[in-house]
Amino acid sequence: MLYGALDRHASPIEPALRTLITVRVSQINWCRFCVDVNAATALKRGVAEEKLLAIAAFADSTLFSAREKAALAYAGAMTYTDRHPSAQEFAKLHEHFSDDAIIELTALIAFQNLSSKFNAALEVPPQGFCAIAPALARDDETA
């Protein structure tokens, strides 16, 4: 029910971006099941395979808009345990999102962290929803 409240038609965050965020958080948390299901959803929502495959390197990619980069950077800052969202990241968010949208982004990222950490800890396996998911299942940010 909580995810349904965050993934609704009236959200100030477009469906493709919501899904990119859930894929990235799942990837960071090494949740192969969540990457699988969220990548399948992303493709259904019109996200190109090329973009999904580049998600770990979004900051340096021309495939992502400034709005997407701001949201994905915020997702990383919330998800990596050695980071915290910076004033600069919040300034970038405010260039693209209202206060209400930032609150919703925060809730979505927190929810996906709960879900992906839970599933990863229990080693829930991918179910084959998305053919390219195995290539996404690692967090290659440092590679």
Side-chain angles (χ1 to χ4, degrees):
M1 286 176 46
L2 178 57
Y3 181 72
L6 297 170
D7 194 46
R8 66 192 192 290
H9 290 294
S11 172
I13 305 158
E14 59 275 19
L17 179 53
R18 289 193 308 263
T19 307
L20 285 171
I21 290 165
T22 61
V23 170
R24 184 64 185 134
V25 171
S26 300
Q27 185 183 53
I28 293 167
N29 287 325
W30 294 80
C31 182
R32 295 176 359 168
F33 169 78
C34 296
V35 168
D36 184 28
V37 72
N38 290 319
T41 300
L43 293 173
K44 287 179 187 172
R45 290 181 170 177
V47 175
E49 280 187 26
E50 179 184 25
K51 194 172 204 173
L52 277 177
L53 291 169
I55 198 166
F58 72 88
D60 299 318
S61 174
T62 59
L63 298 173
F64 297 85
S65 69
R67 177 180 168 89
E68 290 168 331
K69 288 179 179 184
L72 289 165
Y74 183 57
M78 281 186 62
T79 302
Y80 287 107
T81 57
D82 63 341
R83 298 186 193 170
H84 189 271
S86 69
Q88 181 182 5
E89 285 165 330
F90 273 109
K92 290 269 186 208
L93 284 175
H94 281 287
E95 289 176 18
H96 304 283
F97 299 95
S98 68
D99 287 343
D100 286 344
I102 292 170
I103 290 168
E104 191 160 318
L105 272 172
T106 304
L108 175 64
I109 296 163
F111 172 82
Q112 190 58 47
N113 268 291
L114 167 75
S115 178
S116 60
K117 286 177 185 285
F118 181 93
N119 290 323
L122 295 175
E123 297 182 359
V124 177
Q127 300 296 304
F129 294 114
C130 181
I132 67 167
L136 295 169
R138 297 184 343 210
D139 169 22
D140 288 333
E141 183 183 70
T142 57

